[in-house]
Amino acid sequence: MITLASDFGTPYPAAMKAVICSRTDARLVDVAHDLPRQDPRTAAFWLREVLPWFPPAVHLAVIDPGVGTERKALVVRAGEHALVGPDNGVLLPAARRLGEPEAFAIDPDHEAFPGTDGEGRTFDGRDVFAPVAAAVHEAGVDELEGIEWLSATDHADLRFPDPEVREREAVGEVLVVDGFGNAITNVPGDVLDGRFGGDVAVNGTAVPAERSYAHVDPGERLVTVGSHGNVELAVNAGRGDEAFGVEAESPVRVSY
C-alpha cells in the first residue's frame, strides 16, 4: 500500500492520488491531510505515532514550506518501509521507529518527472513525490539502489527534546496539542506509575493523576497517560491546552 499525509486540505491530495493511480494499482490509505500547515515538527510527531502501526508500505508525506527552494527531495528506507517527502526532517522520527534510516536524494530534473519542466515549482507533491511513491512501490523497498534517479545522501534531521526525569519531578515540554486540546508532553508516562488516584503538581499546581478522562468530572483538569505513552495535560470534555495555559514547546514540570 501507499499511505498519504499532508497539510493540503482539499482538493490537492486528489491530484497526488490521480498521479499514483496512473502508475500503480497500489492500495491508497489516507493518514491525514489536515496536519497543521507548514509545521514539519507537529507532522513528524503524528507520523512517528501512526506509521509504525502499518504493515510494510510506502509512506508519502508532504509538509513542505520549502517547496521550490534548494531543499532536497528524499526517499528514506527504514526496515521494510520507505518514506517519501521533503528533506526538512519531517520523515525522520517515523523512520527511526521503523528501522535504521537510509536516505536517497531524488533528482527532480529527471525525465521521469515531466511536471517539473515548467516555470512554476509549487506542487512537488503531485509532480515529484507522487510519481516517486508509485515508482518505489513498483520497484520494491529493497531495490532503491537500482533506481537511476535516486542517489545515497545525507539528510536534515528532526529530533524531539528529551525530558529530565529526577527523583521527585520530571521536566520537559509540550510536544503537540491534539484536536481535542490534549497537551501531549515528552514526559514518559511511567512517572505516574503508582500515582493514579492521587495528585501531582503541574508547574506548581496540584492536579489529579488518573488513568482516563472520565475519572474526573466534566470540565475538570487531569494528568493522564495518552495512547502514545507520554504524560498528557487534559480536561474531561474540554481543552487541556487552554486550562493549563500551554501550547507546543511550553515548558512543563511534573512534581510528585
Side-chain angles (χ1 to χ4, degrees):
M1 69 177 67
I2 297 174
T3 75
L4 298 97
S6 75
D7 57 357
F8 291 164
T10 185
Y12 295 113
M16 294 196 297
K17 292 180 181 181
V19 170
I20 293 170
C21 288
S22 71
R23 296 170 181 245
T24 177
D25 60 358
R27 179 185 177 191
L28 304 185
V29 179
D30 290 307
V31 174
H33 294 293
D34 58 354
L35 293 167
R37 286 182 166 162
Q38 301 187 341
D39 185 353
R41 184 179 188 267
T42 298
F45 174 85
W46 291 118
L47 294 173
R48 185 188 74 174
E49 297 304 312
V50 172
L51 297 188
W53 292 94
F54 280 94
V58 176
H59 305 288
L60 171 59
V62 190
I63 296 83
D64 193 15
V67 64
T69 69
E70 293 301 311
R71 68 97 182 92
K72 287 181 287 193
L74 295 182
V75 177
V76 179
R77 180 166 56 200
E80 297 180 278
H81 299 252
L83 299 90
V84 179
D87 184 25
N88 58 17
V90 67
L91 306 177
L92 270 298
R96 284 191 292 269
R97 283 265 174 102
L98 293 166
E100 183 65 31
E102 303 172 77
F104 298 81
I106 301 163
D107 177 5
D109 298 319
H110 193 275
E111 62 184 11
F113 313 114
T116 63
D117 290 343
E119 292 297 322
R121 283 293 299 275
T122 65
F123 198 1
D124 279 0
R126 178 196 64 195
D127 299 334
V128 177
F129 298 126
V132 166
V136 169
H137 177 272
E138 292 299 288
V141 172
D142 293 334
E143 304 299 326
L144 299 184
E145 288 85 354
I147 299 177
E148 61 180 343
W149 36 261
L150 289 181
S151 57
T153 188
D154 57 3
H155 56 79
D157 203 356
L158 190 159
R159 293 180 182 269
F160 297 106
D162 294 322
E164 296 181 43
V165 179
R166 304 164 184 161
E167 183 178 359
R168 293 186 177 274
E169 67 177 7
V171 179
E173 69 175 53
V174 175
L175 295 178
V176 297
V177 176
D178 71 14
F180 292 97
N182 301 313
I184 301 167
T185 77
N186 63 345
V187 175
D190 58 14
V191 303
L192 298 183
D193 287 351
R195 297 186 169 92
F196 293 115
D199 285 353
V200 297
V202 177
N203 293 341
T205 301
V207 182
E210 300 290 354
R211 292 189 181 276
S212 63
Y213 311 112
H215 281 83
V216 300
D217 292 334
E220 293 297 314
R221 301 194 303 172
L222 71 150
V223 176
T224 191
V225 180
S227 60
H228 34 69
N230 293 357
V231 168
E232 274 186 16
L233 313 182
V235 170
N236 182 13
R239 294 194 63 92
D241 58 338
E242 295 175 358
F244 286 87
V246 296
E247 60 185 8
E249 300 187 63
S250 291
V252 172
R253 182 183 301 270
V254 181
S255 306
Y256 34 82

